[in-house]
Amino acid sequence: GTGSNILSALQDLFWLSKSKVEKQLQIISVLQWVLTFLIMGVACTLILMYILCTDCWVIAALYLAWLVFDWNTPKKGGRRSQWVRNWAIWRYFRDYFPIRLVKTHNLLTTRNYIFGYHPHGIMGLGAFCNFSTEATGVSQKFPGIRPYLATLAGNFRMPILRDYLMSGGICPVNRDSIDYILSKNGTGNAIIIVVGGAAESLNCTPGKNSVTLKNRKGFVKLALRHGADLVPVYSFGENEVYKQVIFEEGSWGRWVQKKFQKHIGFAPCIFHGRGLFSSNTWGLLPYPKPITTVVGEPITIPKIDNPSQKEVDFYHSIYVDSLIKLFDKYKSKFGLPETEILEVN
């Protein structure tokens, strides 16, 4: 009767509310990460400077003193926190898109690795979720392997942000940091380098699968110097989550972007995603498009203290071929036509 109808309606409302809450939590989790990526470093620096000018200046002074003492920690493997990597917020972050990690081969814990991550995308969302959190089960899929996602060294000069990044196992993408992890931190380490970097981000746009790799050989030389195996990684869907204004080569916009890239280390992109309250408006939230990160077969690399250019070129060509084969093998499984070709620039 009427009572059962009311109860049924209340049950429907309850499940609808639960679904809405899940969706809102997903949006909040992604929004906090986007704001972290864009403004956390500058915001924390300004707040710290402000506190120095207030009655609470002692707190800021103590933090700055500790910062000086702790300055080199990012170069020595950082200070990861399994508690932070296992936060529930990262599972909501994962489910927003959703993001998946696909394992194709086992990795030996007696070896060290350099993962080449492609493509960069606007913010490297797949790289962060898969390797700086446990949301997609990286530790279960690759037991005994410690992943270190490498990012701009300048981020580790920012107060608070540096500690937040280190807690996820993120390290500076410079020679000192990589040398330490691959030579003084035992075995079972995997450094994830987004090889294309800022240059690649300038060309990412939905529907385009291209990587900046032809002249990127420094990571191969590092692998040879340490005898670390190379692992190609491709993230299907990374370029789909934001729309970007692409400036043509020779235009004033591209000139400005390259100047920023050369002098600061990153290239400013004009991009947009969806709005906070509606997918039909523009905003900073990425579009909820699936991102599937496929970890390929490791390439065995010999240890050569001073590799010649010929040796670097040889293993670089093997790596490029392996990446293309990985892309071709899995492209149709993740929504791309068989005719799709990976463009290597």
Side-chain angles (χ1 to χ4, degrees):
T2 304
S4 61
N5 289 337
I6 292 174
L7 181 60
S8 177
L10 287 174
Q11 288 176 336
D12 290 343
L13 181 63
F14 171 77
W15 288 112
L16 181 62
S17 297
K18 183 178 180 180
S19 174
K20 284 185 176 180
V21 168
E22 289 277 334
K23 188 61 180 177
Q24 292 306 314
L25 288 172
Q26 291 171 13
I27 289 174
I28 290 169
S29 68
V30 175
L31 179 62
Q32 68 83 25
W33 190 85
V34 170
L35 294 178
T36 296
F37 183 90
L38 295 175
I39 65 171
M40 183 177 178
V42 174
C44 288
T45 301
L46 293 175
I47 291 170
L48 197 66
M49 292 172 62
Y50 171 75
I51 294 175
L52 280 171
C53 300
T54 68
D55 293 339
C56 298
W57 65 269
V58 174
I59 297 174
L62 287 173
Y63 177 80
L64 289 173
W66 179 80
L67 188 63
V68 172
F69 174 78
D70 193 58
W71 191 253
N72 288 323
T73 298
K75 299 178 183 178
K76 297 180 179 180
R79 187 169 46 246
R80 75 174 54 217
S81 166
Q82 287 301 116
W83 175 66
V84 173
R85 288 175 60 89
N86 281 286
W87 277 353
I89 195 171
W90 305 132
R91 295 193 290 275
Y92 290 113
F93 182 98
R94 172 199 65 197
D95 293 339
Y96 173 85
F97 296 93
I99 295 174
R100 290 176 55 209
L101 179 66
V102 176
K103 170 186 174 180
T104 63
H105 291 78
N106 292 324
L107 298 181
L108 299 175
T109 57
T110 54
R111 300 285 292 173
N112 283 324
Y113 301 90
I114 293 180
F115 287 19
Y117 184 91
H118 313 269
H120 183 286
I122 295 292
M123 296 185 185
L125 294 159
F128 171 79
C129 185
N130 285 308
F131 301 114
S132 293
T133 80
E134 293 298 329
T136 56
V138 63
S139 293
Q140 287 72 44
K141 291 177 179 176
F142 299 103
I145 301 298
R146 292 180 297 275
Y148 294 86
L149 177 60
T151 188
L152 290 175
N155 289 326
F156 296 89
R157 301 187 186 102
M158 302 284 189
I160 310 301
L161 175 63
R162 68 190 291 277
D163 303 291
Y164 190 39
L165 295 178
M166 283 193 292
S167 68
I170 300 177
C171 68
V173 62
N174 58 31
R175 181 169 172 175
D176 289 344
S177 177
I178 294 173
D179 282 347
Y180 183 91
I181 293 171
L182 295 181
S183 63
K184 299 179 181 178
N185 201 40
T187 58
N189 302 292
I191 297 179
I192 298 88
I193 300 177
V194 186
V195 178
E200 190 171 84
S201 68
L202 297 179
N203 295 314
C204 69
T205 187
K208 186 174 183 179
N209 288 284
S210 66
V211 296
T212 301
L213 182 58
K214 279 185 179 178
N215 297 315
R216 299 295 175 106
K217 301 180 180 180
F219 73 106
V220 178
K221 189 172 184 178
L222 281 169
L224 286 165
R225 288 180 61 244
H226 293 284
D229 293 348
L230 288 171
V231 182
V233 179
Y234 197 85
S235 239
F236 294 90
E238 185 73 62
N239 285 346
E240 307 300 315
V241 296
Y242 280 110
K243 296 179 180 178
Q244 179 182 189
V245 176
I246 304 292
F247 293 102
E248 298 296 330
E249 289 292 340
S251 66
W252 67 269
R254 183 53 65 100
W255 179 85
V256 170
Q257 289 175 323
K258 287 188 173 181
K259 286 295 182 182
F260 264 84
Q261 179 188 337
K262 180 179 179 180
H263 297 292
I264 302 179
F266 72 92
C269 302
I270 299 177
F271 65 92
H272 74 83
R274 54 156 290 182
L276 181 59
F277 301 106
S278 172
S279 59
N280 297 321
T281 59
W282 288 10
L284 290 176
L285 281 176
Y287 292 104
K289 304 286 187 179
I291 298 175
T292 305
T293 303
V294 184
V295 180
E297 182 178 4
I299 302 165
T300 303
I301 302 294
K303 188 177 187 305
I304 305 173
D305 291 333
N306 293 296
S308 66
Q309 189 59 51
K310 184 177 180 180
E311 290 168 326
V312 172
D313 291 343
F314 174 73
Y315 285 101
H316 181 267
S317 66
I318 293 176
Y319 178 87
V320 173
D321 289 342
S322 296
L323 179 64
I324 293 173
K325 288 178 182 177
L326 180 70
F327 177 85
D328 288 341
K329 182 177 180 180
Y330 289 94
K331 61 186 177 184
S332 61
K333 294 182 181 180
F334 303 119
L336 297 178
E338 283 290 347
T339 54
E340 185 71 19
I341 296 175
L342 179 62
E343 181 183 330
V344 180
N345 300 312

